[in-house]
């Protein structure tokens, strides 16, 4: 007499959530934890993420679901057979500008639930205080520019905030985006092993916004 196969209880995935998408990369992405702080990155180089964010404390926190990371590839929203994402500047000039219709489509894919930030050398300087504000929110959508930048019309239409990490020019916004994410994620509760260290580090309110004292072993 054959023995009926044992029934297996359905595996619970807790708070994990899976959403349908037409973007192929999303099918390979890690499940995102519902309700966790989320960083979305619109970029031509999604393979640049998580990068250093996948290491050390931020990487462990990502694996534990303390925060989410979603990269949105700009190229599939490109126009025509070759998926062009840029066009020549109005009035002439060197370089190319990311098209407003292409970026608009990518931002609509990202959704409007999170504040949108464009990494730009002309933006407002990034500070520890701004990092704390962002850490206390639901997350952020970061726009990584390339070429000569992004058409201003799409930035205005979506109410995008411009932030600079310094008075210099990078080849793209991916490194700057990782700086913003790293500075913000470490302020999320439970990401650092010792949360008390946040009160004693540079630029913290307990330090009066000043640099902390020199350290020695």
């Amino acid at each position: 007499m054959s023995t009926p196969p044992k029934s297996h209880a359905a595996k619970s995935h807790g708070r994990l959530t899976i959403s349908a998408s037409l973007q192929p990369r999303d099918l390979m992405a890690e499940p995102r934890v519902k309700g966790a702080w989320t960083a979305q990155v619109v970029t031509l180089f999604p393979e640049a993420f998580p990068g250093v964010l996948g290491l050390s404390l931020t990487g462990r926190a990502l694996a534990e679901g303390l925060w989410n990371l979603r990269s949105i590839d700009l190229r599939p929203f490109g126009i025509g057979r070759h998926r062009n994402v840029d066009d020549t500047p109005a009035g002439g000039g060197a370089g190319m500008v990311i098209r407003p219709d292409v970026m608009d489509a990518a931002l609509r894919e990202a959704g409007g639930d999170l504040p949108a930030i464009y990494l730009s050398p002309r933006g407002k300087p990034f500070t520890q205080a701004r990092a704390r504000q962002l850490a206390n929110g639901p997350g952020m959508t970061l726009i990584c520019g390339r070429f000569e930048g992004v058409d201003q019309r799409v930035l205005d239409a979506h109410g995008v905030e411009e932030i600079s990490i310094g008075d210099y020019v990078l080849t793209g916004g991916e490194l700057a985006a990782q700086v913003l994410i790293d500075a913000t994620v470490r302020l999320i509760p439970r990401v650092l092993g010792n949360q008390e260290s946040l009160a004693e580090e540079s630029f913290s309110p307990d330090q009066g916004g000043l640099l902390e004292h020199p350290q020695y072993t």
Side-chain angles (χ1 to χ4, degrees):
M1 185 175 66
S2 60
T3 304
K6 295 181 180 180
S7 60
H8 295 279
K11 184 178 180 180
S12 172
H13 292 282
R15 298 176 295 152
L16 295 181
T17 179
I18 300 176
S19 57
S21 171
L22 297 178
Q23 301 305 315
R25 287 188 59 84
D26 278 357
L27 299 178
M28 300 182 291
E30 290 292 329
R32 292 185 290 274
V33 177
K34 187 176 182 180
W37 189 94
T38 299
Q40 298 187 124
V41 186
V42 180
T43 173
L44 276 169
F45 299 97
E47 63 273 17
F49 295 87
V52 296
L53 299 171
L55 306 176
S56 190
L57 296 176
T58 53
R60 185 176 65 187
L62 181 62
E64 292 177 353
L66 298 181
W67 68 287
N68 297 321
L69 177 63
R70 178 192 183 196
S71 59
I72 300 173
D73 190 353
L74 188 62
R75 185 64 67 180
F77 300 99
I79 306 300
R81 178 180 177 182
H82 299 291
R83 298 293 184 184
N84 294 326
V85 301
D86 56 354
D87 203 348
T88 55
M96 303 291 281
V97 178
I98 295 180
R99 297 173 55 118
D101 50 353
V102 172
M103 184 57 69
D104 176 72
L107 289 176
R108 291 183 183 276
E109 169 70 17
D113 297 334
L114 303 177
I117 296 173
Y118 172 45
L119 289 313
S120 166
R122 71 182 183 192
K124 189 175 181 180
F126 187 54
T127 64
Q128 186 73 8
R130 187 69 183 107
R132 289 185 181 278
Q133 292 172 351
L134 291 169
N136 289 329
M140 56 187 174
T141 296
L142 300 175
I143 300 172
C144 298
R146 281 277 158 175
F147 319 119
E148 292 301 306
V150 178
D151 192 299
Q152 186 64 40
R153 289 172 292 181
V154 73
L155 300 179
D156 293 339
H158 287 269
V160 175
E161 176 186 3
E162 295 190 45
I163 287 182
S164 168
I165 64 166
D167 294 338
Y168 48 86
V169 180
L170 300 172
T171 55
E174 285 73 21
L175 289 175
Q178 292 194 25
V179 168
L180 258 71
I181 295 173
D182 183 274
T184 305
V185 164
R186 63 189 302 278
L187 300 176
I188 297 174
R190 295 167 52 207
V191 170
L192 295 186
N194 182 7
Q195 288 296 118
E196 293 181 359
S197 64
L198 292 175
E200 301 175 358
E201 63 185 5
S202 299
F203 311 118
S204 69
D206 289 354
Q207 289 286 114
L210 302 176
L211 298 175
E212 63 178 307
H213 55 79
Q215 302 285 357
Y216 305 91
T217 58

